[in-house]
Amino acid sequence: MNSMNLEIIALVVEFCGWVLVCCTLPIDYWKWSVLDGNIITTAVLWCNLWKSCFTDSTGVTDCRDLSSILGQERHIQACRGLMICCVTLGFFGAIFALFGMRCTRIGGTDTTKAKTACVAGGCYIVGGLCSLSAYSLYANRITAIYFDPTYTDQKYELGSPLFIGWSGSVLCIVGGSIFCLINGKDSKPKR
């Protein structure tokens, strides 16, 4: 398989990973819990990075936005920042990738295109590491509270967006690594 086909595969892999990460941001149920009781009083509590909600047994949902930046817990602030960095780096990585790929006619000489493609791969690798860190930090906080026997408040469980985000982060890192490996040797000027 030639390097142009590998570049296209790497672009598709990293872009799919970036889309998965972006899709997890607005998804609810990053963490969730059920208040058990009789059928009438059963409720579901769920949160993500932006809001905290309560759904009762009749299906009525009451949400509270987590709008204060400085009033939130530190891990929420860190996760928000890391996720915003990932989305931004993925956006710029896609632009650099389109300019740096061998199959496009814009971007300059082969050496310049290879350097631009390496920058794109680096953006995706760093973005994937940022989102992987955010999901892991959020999950670590949930599991630490869940397994703490002295914690008496409501305990939460991991939600599906964390698992989707982990897989998207890995795809970003793998696609960016392939991009860098393919173009790394071509980015050095010929003597």
Side-chain angles (χ1 to χ4, degrees), residues 31-33 47 73-76 136-158:
K31 64 179 182 177
W32 61 277
S33 183
C47 301
E73 297 178 40
R74 290 184 185 140
H75 77 281
I76 298 287
S136 298
L137 178 65
Y138 198 86
N140 181 39
R141 179 74 174 166
I142 294 169
T143 55
I145 290 173
Y146 188 84
F147 291 113
D148 184 7
T150 61
Y151 190 79
T152 57
D153 281 345
Q154 187 67 35
K155 294 184 178 185
Y156 290 89
E157 295 186 31
L158 302 176

Side-chain angles (χ1 to χ4, degrees), residues 1-8 102 182-183 185-186:
M1 186 178 296
N2 64 9
S3 59
M4 191 177 346
N5 290 341
L6 280 174
E7 271 186 345
I8 292 170
R102 290 181 178 97
I182 292 169
N183 294 297
K185 62 180 184 270
D186 295 337

Side-chain angles (χ1 to χ4, degrees), residues 94-117:
I95 291 172
F96 286 134
L98 291 176
F99 282 108
M101 291 179 66
R102 290 181 178 97
C103 60
T104 58
R105 298 203 181 257
I106 49 178
T109 65
D110 288 340
T111 304
T112 306
K113 288 173 81 75
K115 287 179 183 178
T116 306

Side-chain angles (χ1 to χ4, degrees), residues 2-174:
N2 64 9
S3 59
M4 191 177 346
N5 290 341
L6 280 174
E7 271 186 345
I8 292 170
I9 290 170
L11 179 69
V12 169
V13 167
E14 61 194 13
F15 188 74
C16 288
W18 181 69
V19 167
L20 284 175
V21 168
C22 289
C23 288
T24 61
L25 282 175
I27 294 178
D28 304 327
Y29 294 93
W30 275 48
K31 64 179 182 177
W32 61 277
S33 183
V34 175
L35 293 174
D36 289 328
N38 58 26
I39 299 297
I40 297 171
T41 60
T42 301
V44 177
L45 300 167
W46 49 272
C47 301
N48 62 12
L49 292 178
W50 316 105
K51 62 184 171 183
S52 176
C53 294
F54 173 85
T55 304
D56 64 12
S57 61
T58 61
V60 176
T61 301
D62 182 32
C63 291
R64 178 180 57 92
D65 289 334
L66 305 176
S67 56
S68 171
I69 294 174
L70 299 176
Q72 297 305 315
E73 297 178 40
R74 290 184 185 140
H75 77 281
I76 298 287
Q77 293 176 13
C79 289
R80 284 179 177 181
L82 287 168
M83 293 303 292
I84 290 170
C85 285
C86 174
V87 170
T88 306
L89 285 169
F91 174 75
F92 286 116
I95 291 172
F96 286 134
L98 291 176
F99 282 108
M101 291 179 66
R102 290 181 178 97
C103 60
T104 58
R105 298 203 181 257
I106 49 178
T109 65
D110 288 340
T111 304
T112 306
K113 288 173 81 75
K115 287 179 183 178
T116 306
C118 281
V119 169
C123 285
Y124 274 109
I125 290 170
V126 173
L129 290 173
C130 285
S131 61
L132 191 66
S133 301
Y135 294 122
S136 298
L137 178 65
Y138 198 86
N140 181 39
R141 179 74 174 166
I142 294 169
T143 55
I145 290 173
Y146 188 84
F147 291 113
D148 184 7
T150 61
Y151 190 79
T152 57
D153 281 345
Q154 187 67 35
K155 294 184 178 185
Y156 290 89
E157 295 186 31
L158 302 176
S160 59
L162 295 176
F163 299 103
I164 295 169
W166 277 320
S167 58
S169 300
V170 169
L171 287 176
C172 284
I173 293 169
V174 167

